[in-house]
Amino acid sequence: MSHVIEVTHLTKEYKKLRAVDDLSFTVEKGEILGLLGPNGSGKSTTINCILTLLSYQNGSIRIFNEEMRPSAYDMKRKIGVVFQEVAVFEELSVYDNINYFCGLYIKDRKLRKQYVEDAIALVELQNFQKFMPKQLSGGLLRRLNIACGIAHKPELIFLDEPTVAVDPQSRNAILEGIKELNRCGATIVYTSHYMEEVEILCDRVIILDQGKLLAAGTCDELKKLASIEEKISVEIRDLDEAHRLCIQEMEQVESLSYDGQVLQIIYKQGQDHLIALMSYLQKEQIPYHRIYSERPTLNDVFLELTGKELRD
Amino acid sequence: MFWHNFKYTLKTLARDRMLIFWTFAFPLILGTLFQMAFANIESSEEFSPITIAIVENDAWKQRTVWNEAFTKLSEEGSDEQLFHTRYTSEEEAKELLETDEISGYLMMKDTPQVVVDASGINETIFKHVCEELIQSETLTDMIVEKQTAKWMANPDQMINDPAWQTRLYEEVNEILQAETTMVQDASPTKMSYTMIEFYTLIAMTCLYGGVLAMVAMNRNLADMSDSGKRVAVSPASKGSLVLSSISAAYVVQLLGLTLLFSFTCFVLHVDYGENFIGLLGLAVVGSLAGLALGICVAALCKRNEATKTGILISITMLGSFLSGMMGITMKYIVDTNFSWLNRLNPAAMIIVRLTRYWIRKRNRKKLCFIVRFTIS
């Protein structure tokens, strides 16, 4: 596969803060790359550097095998951006907003009309074309935001947290739209805090923190990085301290937590601990309602890599 | 690209309620208030001739210039009538002054003597007119003396030229014309306070174009608006985007001015005088100065749009205030003490030029200042 984006040793500093620190990665043609990281990890700064909205101190950025510059209009023509903030004009209708932004890329009126209609269909806004943005709900507004960014059918799309604060129905429609764009051949760089979205959508994931690359790979590859192997949750009422200590002493148990309702046990290695635990509970005649086993999620990997302390 | 961006900028500006208020509605509201407030002031301040007396003695009869001047200034029903003059004896004049039937009297002796017993506006005007006449007379005497001495120094020329007296008269007259400041009201009707207020209103509206330009510019600046970020990552040429946005702002600004002129002419019945086309032309040029101000603030000030709007409105209001919007006295104070300020204040430049159009003087200096301000 050829590189659509090639970032090499990118460094961006703001006075005393190093927002991006010697970052290198590539994005391959036709893939969806997930860019993960806590708030302030450098995701948006990296995207803004790639889009030439920000200058940077060191490194290089190549898109479609060419150096990215503010005046690289031919390259910009192939790029679509959906910003985290809803970037539309309050004074223009849904149709006019999409038509305006599409018109910055596509001069031919007939072609543009077709593209605008395709974008409206993709985000399912056919019934809201004449609505003004302030008349739309949060979910519809997000969909309009996406339509404005992708109406010109770009080859490379940056989606910066496009599903923030939207209802499950809208989120589903947005995710389906993104998959459709990818099926049509678009390469996508996707940032989000919703791990399940990233797991569903992305072919590859990069985890950033404090401007540095912590890990990169497919979701399965990243999960292997986790120090835990299995997570078992049991709904039990009134589990006494002695039993808890006994479970804690069982083989491969990394940690245990109990909130009076659910007992959660994390195992370091192995995937067959469920039978052993159920045998113990039956032997001790401890009643339980539900019991289920989970593999580590991307969320577990993310928290393990980036830490659990709160960020700004 | 130009027309695409122009069309949509026009749409967004025309639908922005805040902009529409400042550009379209606010000048109309202010104009209506001016009309209501100043119309009453002017009717209560209508000028009536000052009653004076002149002691008709032999000395008076010999002062031809004074006779002619006071006859002219006392002509009943004339536009130039300043005085209602009574010719009396000295005793009668004193009696009239004591009974407050006259504001003062003039008596010729070796020198003209003005007698008043109060210090009101009427007395000041009377004294001022007499002082002006004394000065004119002194100046004329000096010139005649100087020119006569010149002729006398060359007696051969006097002998050879029989019309030397006529020539002397012509020379004196020429020097007088050059030395004297002639105050002449050349306007078709009398210029009033209200007109000055309306000129400041036009200047203010011209400068409000700055808010339009600033908003139009912000649409294209990535650090100023989210939509600006989207525009900035597009392949559209920045020059074309800025030019089309500013052009759209200018069109909206001109629409605002058209509305203002239509409203003041047809609803408030403001008389802008004979050179209305010139006045419109100046408003069109003045609007460019407003746009330039807006572009300058948009480009140099790295604050949010609300702050920039505040800065522009403050500059416009302060400029208009210093140019006499809230009272002509302020303009007089600035003109007298801080005349340099007028060269920095676009509102003052526009108003001065508008006033010039009113009196139909062809002085292009201020227009050049406005153009220079716009370009710089």
Side-chain angles (χ1 to χ4, degrees):
Chain A
M1 284 196 285
S2 60
H3 298 326
V4 172
I5 303 174
E6 193 176 354
V7 175
T8 316
H9 302 299
L10 179 69
T11 302
K12 167 71 187 170
E13 288 173 341
Y14 295 103
K15 290 182 182 170
K16 290 176 183 172
L17 176 77
R18 184 167 279 203
V20 181
D21 191 357
D22 197 30
L23 180 66
S24 297
F25 66 92
T26 57
V27 182
E28 311 303 332
K29 186 170 169 56
E31 77 169 344
I32 303 180
L33 177 84
L35 210 52
L36 293 183
N39 290 336
S41 60
K43 302 185 299 286
S44 295
T45 307
T46 304
I47 291 178
N48 286 340
C49 287
I50 294 172
L51 295 171
T52 68
L53 289 173
L54 287 175
S55 59
Y56 47 92
Q57 281 74 25
N58 214 348
S60 80
I61 295 168
R62 292 176 72 81
I63 295 183
F64 301 115
N65 293 318
E66 283 181 52
E67 194 72 32
M68 186 60 178
R69 302 177 315 276
S71 60
Y73 294 134
D74 285 342
M75 266 192 269
K76 285 184 171 183
R77 209 173 289 283
K78 297 178 192 171
I79 299 172
V81 188
V82 177
F83 291 102
Q84 191 175 338
E85 304 82 15
V86 176
V88 297
F89 291 114
E90 290 294 322
E91 300 83 9
L92 298 179
S93 68
V94 165
Y95 186 91
D96 279 348
N97 261 301
I98 302 171
N99 191 37
Y100 171 69
F101 288 113
C102 188
L104 298 176
Y105 297 80
I106 310 290
K107 284 183 184 173
D108 184 88
R109 279 189 187 187
K110 271 189 184 172
L111 184 65
R112 190 165 76 223
K113 190 170 184 291
Q114 185 56 52
Y115 277 18
V116 171
E117 281 167 9
D118 289 350
I120 287 172
L122 183 82
V123 295
E124 297 176 35
L125 282 175
Q126 294 94 326
N127 298 328
F128 304 96
Q129 293 188 43
K130 291 184 178 173
F131 280 50
M132 303 305 273
K134 65 182 171 191
Q135 295 172 295
L136 300 178
S137 66
L140 292 172
L141 210 52
R142 284 276 161 192
R143 277 144 70 181
L144 169 63
N145 195 36
I146 292 171
C148 290
I150 54 92
H152 57 287
K153 297 190 193 286
E155 290 175 38
L156 171 62
I157 304 170
F158 291 89
L159 293 149
D160 194 358
E161 300 189 33
T163 57
V164 168
V166 297
D167 57 72
Q169 286 81 2
S170 283
R171 177 173 298 171
N172 198 44
I174 290 170
L175 295 181
E176 282 305 317
I178 293 168
K179 282 181 191 169
E180 180 59 29
L181 288 167
N182 184 239
R183 275 195 291 272
C184 293
T187 305
I188 295 170
V189 177
Y190 187 85
T191 76
S192 176
H193 285 300
Y194 299 110
M195 299 299 160
E196 68 277 20
E197 281 181 10
V198 176
E199 280 200 72
I200 293 167
L201 278 178
C202 298
D203 301 312
R204 243 168 16 103
V205 175
I206 285 175
I207 298 178
L208 298 178
D209 196 16
Q210 295 176 339
K212 287 181 180 165
L213 192 147
L214 294 185
T218 62
C219 289
D220 285 339
E221 283 169 350
L222 288 177
K223 283 174 190 172
K224 282 180 188 163
L225 296 174
S227 62
I228 60 170
E229 194 76 12
E230 190 177 14
K231 196 162 67 179
I232 294 177
S233 302
V234 197
E235 286 181 20
I236 306 176
R237 283 189 187 160
D238 304 325
L239 182 68
D240 58 40
E241 185 70 27
H243 283 115
R244 263 186 278 167
L245 282 171
C246 283
I247 296 170
Q248 178 88 60
E249 295 300 314
M250 289 169 84
E251 266 186 56
Q252 299 295 337
V253 171
E254 165 79 18
S255 64
L256 179 146
S257 63
Y258 181 61
D259 62 0
Q261 297 281 331
V262 178
L263 172 73
Q264 194 173 66
I265 311 152
I266 292 171
Y267 294 89
K268 281 183 270 189
Q269 282 180 346
Q271 295 174 20
D272 52 354
H273 303 290
L274 190 61
I275 296 165
L277 181 68
M278 284 171 74
S279 302
Y280 175 79
L281 293 173
Q282 274 175 354
K283 196 179 109 190
E284 296 295 318
Q285 294 185 327
I286 301 168
Y288 60 90
H289 299 281
R290 278 204 310 156
I291 184 164
Y292 49 95
S293 166
E294 290 172 283
R295 295 270 289 118
T297 61
L298 197 57
N299 196 48
D300 295 321
V301 179
F302 182 81
L303 288 175
E304 202 173 312
L305 289 173
T306 60
K308 289 185 179 175
E309 69 274 19
L310 290 172
R311 305 295 179 92
D312 291 333
Chain B
M1 182 54 59
F2 181 92
W3 291 112
H4 178 74
N5 189 54
F6 178 84
K7 183 179 121 186
Y8 279 104
T9 308
L10 208 58
K11 263 191 181 181
T12 49
L13 291 178
R15 287 177 184 171
D16 189 319
R17 285 184 187 172
M18 185 273 289
L19 286 179
I20 293 304
F21 173 78
W22 287 110
T23 319
F24 287 70
F26 185 64
L28 301 191
I29 294 167
L30 217 53
T32 310
L33 292 176
F34 283 157
Q35 184 75 345
M36 285 160 66
F38 292 103
N40 291 337
I41 289 174
E42 282 191 358
S43 59
S44 66
E45 284 188 355
E46 219 163 81
F47 180 77
S48 53
I50 305 159
T51 307
I52 56 161
I54 290 173
V55 178
E56 205 171 21
N57 53 17
D58 290 340
W60 167 257
K61 285 170 189 164
Q62 285 166 15
R63 307 295 275 264
T64 328
V65 175
W66 286 76
N67 265 297
E68 280 177 12
F70 273 93
T71 309
K72 182 89 178 161
L73 292 172
S74 308
E75 215 169 76
E76 290 292 333
S78 151
D79 278 349
E80 288 168 8
Q81 185 183 11
L82 260 185
F83 303 114
H84 177 70
T85 308
R86 295 173 68 171
Y87 295 93
T88 61
S89 64
E90 189 180 352
E91 290 73 26
E92 197 182 347
K94 279 180 185 168
E95 205 178 304
L96 287 170
L97 187 63
E98 275 170 19
T99 54
D100 286 337
E101 286 180 58
I102 56 171
S103 299
Y105 67 87
L106 171 70
M107 188 166 68
M108 286 294 176
K109 287 189 175 168
D110 292 338
T111 53
Q113 290 182 348
V114 180
V115 184
V116 292
D117 67 350
S119 57
I121 293 172
N122 288 351
E123 288 79 5
T124 309
I125 294 171
F126 180 40
K127 279 167 78 175
H128 184 73
V129 169
C130 292
E131 279 163 12
E132 283 289 319
L133 281 167
I134 293 167
Q135 275 182 22
S136 296
E137 207 175 35
T138 313
L139 184 68
T140 310
D141 287 347
M142 279 168 62
I143 294 166
V144 168
E145 203 174 308
K146 194 177 160 193
Q147 291 306 110
T148 311
K150 236 165 108 181
W151 278 90
M152 297 291 272
N154 196 352
D156 293 342
Q157 197 185 348
M158 286 170 70
I159 294 161
N160 296 335
D161 188 356
W164 71 271
Q165 280 174 315
T166 317
R167 283 187 181 281
L168 175 64
Y169 176 77
E170 281 170 1
E171 279 173 15
V172 171
N173 216 16
E174 207 172 291
I175 295 166
L176 269 174
Q177 289 283 338
E179 292 278 329
T180 320
T181 307
M182 299 293 284
V183 179
Q184 185 186 0
D185 182 3
S187 62
T189 54
K190 291 253 182 291
M191 184 137 160
S192 60
Y193 290 146
T194 319
M195 281 319 298
I196 295 289
E197 300 304 329
F198 279 106
Y199 287 153
T200 57
L201 191 64
I202 293 167
M204 185 196 78
T205 310
C206 288
L207 295 186
Y208 270 149
V211 182
L212 286 166
M214 181 272 294
V215 172
M217 280 279 285
N218 273 1
R219 286 165 39 101
N220 303 308
L221 298 175
D223 56 347
M224 279 299 127
S225 65
D226 295 330
S227 52
K229 260 165 111 176
R230 214 193 266 292
V231 172
V233 297
S234 76
S237 142
K238 299 293 165 284
S240 173
L241 285 173
V242 168
L243 196 64
S244 53
S245 300
I246 298 303
S247 304
Y250 192 45
V251 169
V252 177
Q253 164 71 354
L254 293 183
L255 285 174
L257 274 172
T258 308
L259 185 68
L260 176 68
F261 276 114
S262 307
F263 182 77
T264 50
C265 284
F266 301 118
V267 179
L268 302 181
H269 302 291
V270 174
D271 175 15
Y272 285 111
E274 285 175 358
N275 203 357
F276 186 58
I277 299 295
L279 203 129
L280 282 178
L282 180 69
V284 168
V285 177
S287 296
L288 284 176
L291 289 183
L293 188 67
I295 294 166
C296 191
V297 170
L300 298 179
C301 176
K302 298 292 173 199
R303 299 294 175 121
N304 61 28
E305 194 167 296
T307 310
K308 288 180 179 182
T309 306
I311 290 171
L312 278 169
I313 291 175
S314 305
I315 292 173
T316 305
M317 293 304 282
L318 181 67
S320 303
F321 170 71
L322 295 175
S323 309
M325 179 176 251
M326 303 302 165
I328 194 89
T329 318
M330 181 49 70
K331 179 165 172 49
Y332 176 74
I333 291 168
V334 174
D335 280 344
T336 317
N337 303 306
F338 313 101
S339 58
W340 54 270
L341 204 56
N342 286 339
R343 295 188 175 219
L344 296 174
N345 181 3
M349 291 180 214
I350 295 169
I351 290 160
V352 169
R353 185 67 199 169
L354 285 168
T355 317
R356 293 260 159 83
Y357 267 125
W358 177 274
I359 61 172
R360 289 173 290 172
K361 286 237 175 132
R362 293 285 182 264
N363 188 340
R364 288 190 166 76
K365 203 173 166 190
K366 286 289 169 193
L367 191 64
C368 289
F369 272 127
I370 297 167
V371 173
R372 203 187 305 161
F373 176 86
T374 306
I375 293 165
S376 61

